[in-house]
């Protein structure tokens, strides 16, 4: 079936494999009149580009985006925006040996089981390159959210268990600028250096690490999210888990909430500046699947990169137990490059729900069409 | 917008509020020829019925299901199955005071923000009674999965931090029968008694507790899940987070995976009985969003019941800070009753993806239609 | 698969068979705050009720609707509206003989082929009673459209080739009140009498007739319809063809357009009262799949009722050629009762597209959320 | 909203405008293992290419397709197939004058009303070039249908009222080969010559013509179509009406059915070669929205090309009545080039419903997974 489309109103369809001609996305349902050019999208793509640091694969892709439709005189026209990034560095030979066996922790076996065969030249559709389409679409969603005054900010919270201190501090207390320039994506230089030392060790051990990406949504209006299956947190969970290697999703206090008491977990409402606010934010900005107007806070837990250079047990396509040693170029950690992917999927999800919410009340629909 | 429909092929639409005439569900896309009667569905509903234990609300609902369509001579006909459960115990007066203020931890405020007003007689659509429709549909999905040899088993793993020992032991080492009869839903009597003592303490403190529901899928075929946005784990995450009060979702090792190394987290493939198997199952049965043929393991983290009887700060609809004390009947923990809801949403999700998977390969489609 | 759901934002799911406990619909995505009660819906249902005239089946169903959810204090709450109509007149015995063979012109054979068996007590899901859910939903859509100043009016244009004169005259020149009270649904008394005489003849001949239902949408705003697959006319065509027995759909000049010249078919634009208008309306109010602000005009062509009392050739389930004579109660023409079904499906379709259109322009979205 | 996606399982998303960098489509949900290369798709595209005859615009586009993903070693992989056709002949200057006014019969006014502005360099998204994506996808659908033994054949039935004689004769009595090589697309040389003479006259009169495209589906299995809203004929109607310029859709006897009697319109069932068949086919191969195993016959009525070279009344963007004379290159009839578009949309629709039908019966699902 068709699983490459995401969203109801702001709808994206990604396509492409790691070793085909290219990857891309069609963004349908983007409202007309948004100022946009390729540089806006390129800026997002550059944040996930390989080769940016020593902890990322040295594959050199320029990852230059071409916008093929949906723009006219610098604005979106309301019609589908098709974006293409050519694959320019296809060293298939690196991968030729993996055709014959199933790499542990990878989707080789499951793709073969599902489709009867697979493009064995690399990760194919399960490659990290698939996320290029998501990020290109996320750049557009973020541009539109910015017009509404909403910002989405993701960063690395932890790598291999090394976590930034006081992880729940307010966003303005985090050094987001630092996170955009260091190789870990952590908004805290001291922790980043520790994490880098840890990653160096991982590489020496021919091993890899996982980590946590946190994401905050600021200035979110209340009322967004559609009961009962398109709850804001439910749709965010799907969006985030659809990113390869994510094994857990938390909103607000997340797993900690399951061992707390109601008296501690409930957030009191209080008036502040004539507005209903919450004294605390254990809920992470969502009540009953609908945004409550406070900051939305989510976390994605990534497993360690499955491609490690140690010897590993596996089976080959002849059904024999074998031992393999993977070659090629692989990040010892994918978390830093995944930050912008989490940010993009979050932006796409909340934009879609913001648009869906516009039809919630008859009076506001009447007002809308009375202007017309 | 319309957020009350879930699934692509096996599609459910739930409806109903806690204090209206009833609640229910329409199940569309259920294949024809499945043996089914009301008793199959009732057995599932009885597992979530209130009043089953002292830790559940004493509201007495018979929760009797009526199947209104889609059955003929004891079998499904392939047409929509509409199911209705009347609300018979609507003590609205208990709730009348909550019309004027926003209960902390509840969706009162967010529903008002979204829709301009709400049915203030209770939880309305955000009430736990909404899950009746899910469970009725889950009963049907489970029946069909049973025909394919697949079983879904959920149980309480922890309450208020009190967790069953060796939680990752094989399913057959858990006492599932015990879990179906004790008031906590835990498959381990000793831990259940500890949790009961803890809940008693919570009630004395006018407080509440959360917990963890685990769910295992046995005998799942490999190849199920639709890259890239309808990955099996992504759809399960949405399904589970769409249940009220869930704050985190884990698949396989979940949050632990983010601090592990690749060498520890990777599951080796090994031949066993002439089949490809995994030596371990850190992945929780899913690789690249597609089932790998091993057991699928997920966990849902529930926050503590927000309705507590302690005094709480909040605001009223006039925008004044007030202090309130909630009355009525409320479970000190919702986890035991949520077990069957998690099981149902899981069953619905995997059945839908099993059906979606049938069109993955041209050769199997040709075979299907050559029989015709 | 699940084919019982229609619409993207205003989404309806119908269920029920002719000889089961009842039929109904769940309307999801209806905006909150719409004044509505059961009488609004009942009024629509009464327009399709059997037994209203001698040309309709004498089956006496009260067809009383019960609204089970989604209303509070006389207004919609934004949550799903579930509506139920019990079947009270199930004379299955009339139908028992049809279990063994396939009625010509009916869906008996195709349902058996699709599902392996069928509910043979009557039309089952292909019965005209399925449309009750559509009409109940259509009543709500029409109420909401009325709030926006939009009206949808359907009527019978022809029966058995007997057509009202000057069928394209302006709506105000048609006697819609007449059409709501006479047995043909025609807005022209003289033609209605002729058609009645014709139907009487059909009944004497143990035969049946078809006809044309026309539908006009007044005061439609320009800009509605979603290129390229959810064009307004494309969605209307699906809506109308999904009604049993419809064999053709026309918009504007329809089939006549295919033999016209461009110079005759093009509608000139002209300013009138400071507004852009069209001098003629061959297009039927839609250009490029988007409403142009003029009246929308469509026509549905219904085949004659397949249940006739003449002897007919067919085959039985043993694969033998046989001759049969159908018994029971059957309308000699379904067109008069189908009028409100066409009107309902049209109302549902345009309401859904009106809601979809609200996200077309960034500036209007910004305006919407700046009010928030 | 997003209206550029069509289909549920075999899902296509088209994109692109006439004067942007290119047009294309993403085909998602195509089963794995289908032999396919660019030549298969190119052959379809060549059938709609401009410049093929004197009755088509002289715009010279090579319309060469590039397949960007979803293929490996000559077979589909089950992942999205992205296809791109560059626009190479963008003579925007021809169109610059139309920026200031609304062309009669075109979507200029409605796009402006919907989106607030439009790409005024040509038809933009409402250009016939948008259908390139549909045809590329249709080529793939047709390839897969061929594997199942199903063929879809469209041809021109009439132009400007000049119709092939005995239009309902069996497909094998039509000269389909002729229709693929002559400039009208008519499967009857004598009529084609008459139509050509008529078109010549139209051009001399600076006028244009419409016509009828018929489409036949051979060897269709019974049981395809999803009651009640995704009836086979309903989905075909939407598919066909979504093509620009189509004003009416007929299935089987179509409009004629509305004036027929039941005794004439009903198709008797008869056993033939041990199979249930119909003695006649007034129904056009569909009963109750489900295929009955006979040939499916549909017709699309196209309005005349709106771009004519006569003087026409219209209004400009300043709201003034003006008279204009359109320049540029425009087909006097679009029907011949639309044949392959109708064929493509038909193929896509029936393939999608064939795939949807695979989950209709529990027994067949069990059989499917028991093989696994």
């Amino acid at each position: 079936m068709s699983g490459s489309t995401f969203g109801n109103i702001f709808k994206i369809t990604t396509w492409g494999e790691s070793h085909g001609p290219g990857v891309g996305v069609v963004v349908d349902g983007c409202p007309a009149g948004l100022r946009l050019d390729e540089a806006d999208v390129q800026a997002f793509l550059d944040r996930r580009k390989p080769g940016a640091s020593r902890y990322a694969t040295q594959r050199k892709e320029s990852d230059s985006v071409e916008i093929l439709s949906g723009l006219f005189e610098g604005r979106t026209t309301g019609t589908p925006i098709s974006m293409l990034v050519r694959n320019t560095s296809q060293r298939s030979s690196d991968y030729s040996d993996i055709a014959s066996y199933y790499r542990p922790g990878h989707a080789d076996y499951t793709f073969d089981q599902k489709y009867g065969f697979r493009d064995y030249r690399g990760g194919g559709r399960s490659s990290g390159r698939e996320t290029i389409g998501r990020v290109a679409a996320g750049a557009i969603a973020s541009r539109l959210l910015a017009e509404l005054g909403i910002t989405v900010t993701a960063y690395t919270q932890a790598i291999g268990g090394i976590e930034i201190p006081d992880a729940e501090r307010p966003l303005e207390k985090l050094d987001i600028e630092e996170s955009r320039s260091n190789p870990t994506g952590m908004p805290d230089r001291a922790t980043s250096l520790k994490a880098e030392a840890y990653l160096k060790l991982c590489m020496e051990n021919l091993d890899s690490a996982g980590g946590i990406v946190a994401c905050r949504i600021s200035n979110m209006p209340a009322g967004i999210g559609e009961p009962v299956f398109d709850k804001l947190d439910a749709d965010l969970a799907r969006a985030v888990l659809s990113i390869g290697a994510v094994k857990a999703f938390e909103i607000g206090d997340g797993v900690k909430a399951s061992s707390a008491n109601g008296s501690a977990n409930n957030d009191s409402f209080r008036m502040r500046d004539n507005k209903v606010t919450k004294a605390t934010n254990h809920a992470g900005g969502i009540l009953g699947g609908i945004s409550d107007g406070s900051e939305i806070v989510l976390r994605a837990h990534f497993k360690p990169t499955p491609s490690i250079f140690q010897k590993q047990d596996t089976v080959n396509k002849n059904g024999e137990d074998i031992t393999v040693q993977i070659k090629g170029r692989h990040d010892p950690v994918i978390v830093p490059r995944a930050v912008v992917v989490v940010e993009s999927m979050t932006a796409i999800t909340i934009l879609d729900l913001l648009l869906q919410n516009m039809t919630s009340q008859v009076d506001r629909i009447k007002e809308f069409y009375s202007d017309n």
Side-chain angles (χ1 to χ4, degrees), chain A residues 90-220:
Chain A
Q90 303 155 348
R91 293 197 294 163
S92 301
S93 55
D94 287 3
Y95 295 94
S96 55
D97 57 329
I98 68 172
S100 64
Y101 65 84
Y102 300 125
R103 289 170 297 166
H106 277 278
D108 301 342
Y109 175 67
T110 54
F111 268 68
D112 267 13
Q113 287 299 108
K114 184 172 196 69
Y115 297 115
F117 75 108
R118 73 181 195 282
D119 178 344
Y120 51 71
R121 291 170 300 174
R125 186 69 177 148
S126 71
S127 157
R129 283 191 74 71
E130 178 271 328
T131 62
I132 285 178
R134 303 175 185 230
V135 172
I140 297 176
S142 294
R143 276 284 299 113
L144 208 158
L145 290 174
E147 297 274 328
L148 302 173
I150 301 166
T151 53
V152 181
T153 311
Y155 53 86
T156 303
Q157 178 173 321
I159 285 179
I162 298 164
E163 187 162 292
I164 58 169
D166 192 11
E168 271 128 75
R169 61 185 128 148
L171 186 59
E172 58 271 22
K173 295 284 171 68
L174 294 171
D175 191 348
I176 297 301
E177 206 171 322
E178 163 73 22
S179 77
R180 297 290 168 87
S181 59
N182 71 34
T184 63
M186 286 176 154
D188 182 286
R189 184 180 300 228
T191 317
S192 182
L193 292 170
K194 269 189 249 174
E196 286 184 63
Y198 175 76
L199 289 172
K200 195 157 167 278
L201 201 64
C202 283
M203 291 172 83
E204 285 165 15
N205 295 339
L206 309 181
D207 215 331
S208 65
I212 304 171
V213 173
C215 187
R216 315 263 191 116
I217 309 169
S218 308
N219 205 22
M220 184 76 175

Side-chain angles (χ1 to χ4, degrees), chain A residues 10 36-50 52 62-65 83 85 131-146 150-154 180 215 336-348:
Chain A
F10 187 87
L36 184 79
D37 59 31
E38 283 172 352
D40 295 314
V41 178
Q42 195 62 53
F44 257 63
L45 289 178
D46 289 348
R47 287 174 58 196
R48 74 159 293 292
K49 208 160 61 174
S62 63
D63 283 357
S64 297
V65 70
M83 296 186 281
V85 171
T131 62
I132 285 178
R134 303 175 185 230
V135 172
I140 297 176
S142 294
R143 276 284 299 113
L144 208 158
L145 290 174
I150 301 166
T151 53
V152 181
T153 311
R180 297 290 168 87
C215 187
R337 293 176 61 196
V339 165
V340 70
V341 183
V342 171
E343 193 174 303
S344 292
M345 290 306 298
T346 301
I348 291 163

Side-chain angles (χ1 to χ4, degrees), chain A residues 224-226 228-240 249-252 283-291 296-298 349-350 353:
Chain A
I224 310 305
E226 299 295 322
V228 293
F229 296 115
D230 283 312
K231 283 177 171 144
L232 178 49
D233 33 5
D235 280 6
L236 285 170
R238 179 185 165 217
V240 166
F249 171 86
E250 299 183 278
I251 192 84
I286 301 176
L287 286 168
I290 302 172
S291 64
I296 291 175
V297 186
L298 64 85
T349 304
I350 62 171
L353 286 168

Side-chain angles (χ1 to χ4, degrees), chain A residues 31-95:
Chain A
L34 181 70
R35 298 241 158 251
L36 184 79
D37 59 31
E38 283 172 352
D40 295 314
V41 178
Q42 195 62 53
F44 257 63
L45 289 178
D46 289 348
R47 287 174 58 196
R48 74 159 293 292
K49 208 160 61 174
S53 83
R54 57 178 304 193
Y55 306 110
T57 168
Q58 295 306 303
R59 173 170 171 163
K60 296 277 184 249
E61 295 277 3
S62 63
D63 283 357
S64 297
V65 70
E66 182 185 7
I67 301 183
L68 294 167
S69 66
L71 283 193
F72 182 58
E73 299 183 342
R75 288 189 296 163
T76 58
T77 58
T79 63
I81 304 166
S82 178
M83 296 186 281
L84 163 64
V85 171
R86 296 268 174 191
N87 292 331
T88 54
S89 166
Q90 303 155 348
R91 293 197 294 163
S92 301
S93 55
D94 287 3
Y95 295 94

